[in-house]
Amino acid sequence: MTLHLSLGPLIALVAGILILVFPRLLSTIVALYLILVGVLGLLGMHQWRL
């Protein structure tokens, strides 16, 4: 059995957990997530697998 994780959903999961634990960090976490996803998209790394 092989488990394939994509980088985007993994980042979204971590961001969601952090927002639940620290609701005041919502705007910071969303901004960092969008920046990271944007940079990965521009560099063509949106298909990275872990």
Side-chain angles (χ1 to χ4, degrees):
M1 182 174 150
T2 303
L3 179 64
H4 294 282
L5 295 174
S6 295
L7 192 57
L10 185 61
I11 294 170
L13 180 64
V14 171
I17 291 170
L18 286 175
I19 290 169
L20 284 174
V21 175
F22 305 107
R24 292 184 180 210
L25 291 179
L26 176 61
S27 60
T28 304
I29 291 171
V30 170
L32 290 173
Y33 173 76
L34 291 173
I35 290 168
L36 184 61
V37 168
V39 169
L40 290 176
L42 286 173
L43 296 177
M45 298 179 188
H46 59 277
Q47 295 184 1
W48 273 13
R49 301 278 182 194
L50 294 178

